[in-house]
Structure formats: C-alpha cells, structure tokens
Amino acid sequence: MGIRYTGPYAQQVDEHEGHAARKLADGTVSVEWTEETSSLQGFVGACSCGWRGDGEHPATEAGREAAEAQWNTEHLGPLIEAARATWDSWPEELVGLARYVRDRVQAQDAAEALRVLDQMVADVDYRRRTVTLLAAQQEPPA
C-alpha cells in the first residue's frame, strides 16, 4: 500500500500513489513485498505512474521514510503546484467555453451546447469542492 494524496487537489493527482520501492542487489526495483524483496539493498522513491526518484536510500526505516519524502517533495509537490496553477487560466477558459456554447445555441446545435455546459458544470463543481477543502484547511481548530 502506498501513499495517496487526499488534499484539495486530489482529483487532479489521483493517478499518483507514492511508494518506497525496494531496490535489490541486482538493481531490480519493486513496490511488491515478496520473499525476494526481503533482502533489499535500499529504497527508492517511486510512483504508480512510473516516476522513480534519483538516488537510493538506506535499507532502514529512516531510508524508507526518506524515499517516501522524496516522492512527496520531488513528484507530488510539483503536481500539486501544477494543479494550483490551473486557477490562473481558468477564468479565460470558462469565458471561452461560454462563448462557444452561445455560438452552438445560435447555430441550433443544442446537443453540443449541452455537452459543453455539462462539462462546465462538472468543472465548477470540482472547483467548488477544491475551495471547500481549502477553506477547511484555513479554519482554526475549535
């Protein structure tokens, strides 16, 4: 079982599960625990998407934690930052989609207009959930 991010941008990074993969003496890297992986040489930060961290961490509990931290810092962190950056262009994208819907309605292409409107509603719903989670993080504990 790996590390799953459950924060505000989880929907955008849900294909990424972090692991302290086991590196064996022959150079093989595996996230599975088997009899063969019980004699590991060290740990490597890894992700379910195929990302592998550079370097190797010792075959200790501290090494496992360091490999997981490497995944978090070097891989997950940039993914979250990229998700945050989507807010920059979102207003213009939404306006562009609204204009496209207007054009489709005027062209009497209601099916396409509805398809894009549904896409817009889903995006707004996602962004609302994101902001709700961000607001919950900002609330001071009672």
Side-chain angles (χ1 to χ4, degrees), residues 78-90:
L79 292 171
I80 293 169
E81 286 306 313
R84 282 185 184 128
T86 64
W87 286 99
D88 292 341
S89 60
W90 184 62

Side-chain angles (χ1 to χ4, degrees), residues 11-74:
Q11 184 174 332
Q12 288 180 276
V13 299
D14 68 350
E15 300 294 319
H16 300 271
E17 183 173 337
H19 301 276
R22 292 157 183 86
K23 184 169 184 186
L24 307 179
D26 68 0
T28 304
V29 176
S30 174
V31 295
E32 302 296 323
W33 177 256
T34 65
E35 185 63 35
E36 292 79 28
T37 62
S38 65
S39 60
L40 61 109
Q41 176 177 322
F43 289 104
V44 176
C47 186
S48 60
C49 73
W51 176 88
R52 294 277 191 270
D54 291 333
E56 183 179 314
H57 303 279
T60 62
E61 183 63 19
R64 183 190 62 77
E65 290 172 0
E68 291 172 348
Q70 181 183 28
W71 169 80
N72 188 47
T73 303
E74 295 179 14

Side-chain angles (χ1 to χ4, degrees), residues 84-136:
R84 282 185 184 128
T86 64
W87 286 99
D88 292 341
S89 60
W90 184 62
E92 291 80 17
E93 291 170 8
L94 204 55
V95 167
L97 288 171
R99 287 183 176 137
Y100 178 75
V101 168
R102 176 202 60 203
D103 294 346
R104 293 296 85 220
V105 168
Q106 290 174 346
Q108 298 183 354
D109 187 357
E112 176 66 0
L114 282 172
R115 184 190 71 75
V116 174
L117 282 170
D118 287 344
Q119 175 186 339
M120 291 169 70
V121 167
D123 185 52
V124 169
D125 284 345
Y126 160 72
R127 299 221 179 235
R128 186 178 197 298
R129 285 190 304 273
T130 300
V131 172
T132 299
L133 290 169
L134 290 168

